[in-house]
């Protein structure tokens, strides 16, 4: 069970790939995502038990050296966050849509966790860095009041927000584009 998520962001793709290898070898963790992000950075996200993720991240930070841009550890993460990061969320019913946009990828991951814990919503996706200028954003769905509560909670607790919106009755075309 993944009850923690750890992330390291690097400004070198080569060192990022090497760091990923070191991180997954350092502890019993699941590799949730390892990819390039804009503008020319690399991100590694692992999940697992808190102690294993901490150990993996310690190794990752040590290997990254001066290439380290940012890191994040979320213990007791909401179970919807990992699938949203991996783009494997299975949202069955769509209601209102909430969108949270951040200057930082780490902020987007934190916001997804805060939003999912704040209200009965379903995370659709946590999009990170690629083709969005290095930003991160979260999409979620649920009853209008729940989506508003989740968006407000994330906006209040997470830094580096660019914008947010709640769309009470999204068009079917918009819903399809979010899948």
């Amino acid at each position: 069970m993944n009850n923690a998520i750890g992330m390291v962001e690097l400004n070198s793709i080569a060192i990022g790939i090497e760091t990923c290898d070191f991180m997954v070898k350092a502890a019993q963790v699941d590799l949730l995502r390892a990819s390039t992000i804009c503008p020319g950075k690399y991100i590694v996200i692992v999940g697992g038990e808190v102690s294993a993720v901490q150990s993996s991240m310690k190794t990752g930070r040590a290997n990254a050296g001066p290439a380290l841009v940012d890191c994040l550890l979320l213990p007791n993460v909401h179970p919807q966050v990992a699938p949203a990061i991996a783009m494997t969320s299975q949202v069955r019913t769509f209601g209102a849509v909430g969108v949270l946009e951040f200057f930082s990828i780490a902020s987007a991951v934190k916001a997804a966790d805060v939003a999912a814990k704040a209200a009965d919503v379903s995370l659709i996706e946590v999009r990170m860095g690629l083709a969005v200028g290095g930003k991160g954003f979260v999409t979620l769905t649920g009853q209008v009041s729940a989506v508003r509560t989740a968006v407000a909670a994330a906006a209040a607790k997470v830094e580096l927000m660019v914008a947010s919106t709640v769309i009470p009755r999204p068009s079917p075309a918009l819903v399809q584009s979010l899948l």
Side-chain angles (χ1 to χ4, degrees):
M1 179 177 146
N2 289 339
N3 63 359
I5 288 178
M7 179 200 85
V8 295
E9 180 181 348
L10 303 98
N11 62 14
S12 166
I13 295 166
I15 294 172
I17 292 170
E18 178 185 53
T19 297
C20 175
D21 186 57
F22 278 111
M23 289 176 68
V24 297
K25 289 177 179 173
Q28 188 93 27
V29 293
D30 296 320
L31 180 60
L32 301 178
R33 186 125 184 224
S35 63
T36 56
I37 57 171
C38 294
K41 296 180 187 175
Y42 198 82
I43 191 165
V44 180
I45 303 175
V46 296
E49 296 299 321
V50 175
S51 60
V53 171
Q54 287 172 326
S55 178
S56 176
M57 288 186 61
K58 181 179 178 183
T59 299
R61 286 190 304 271
N63 188 76
L68 183 67
V69 173
D70 199 1
C71 61
L72 169 70
L73 173 66
L74 286 177
N76 303 313
V77 70
H78 192 280
Q80 289 188 56
V81 175
I85 288 170
M87 298 181 289
T88 60
S89 294
Q90 299 294 316
V91 179
R92 305 217 189 284
T93 307
F94 275 83
V97 169
V99 182
L100 296 148
E101 178 185 4
F102 297 90
F103 284 115
S104 154
I105 294 167
S107 293
V109 174
K110 283 187 226 176
D113 187 50
V114 169
K117 288 176 178 174
D120 184 19
V121 294
S122 296
L123 295 178
I124 301 168
E125 181 182 12
V126 178
R127 176 88 49 99
M128 295 180 247
L130 190 59
V132 291
K135 291 180 181 179
F137 69 90
V138 178
T139 51
L140 54 93
T141 189
Q143 295 293 320
V144 175
S145 60
V147 170
R148 288 183 191 200
T149 298
V151 167
K157 292 184 179 179
V158 182
E159 297 177 348
L160 300 176
M161 178 177 267
V162 175
S164 67
T165 190
V166 174
I167 304 166
R169 291 187 325 225
S171 72
L174 173 65
V175 170
Q176 193 61 33
S177 76
L178 294 175
L179 296 177

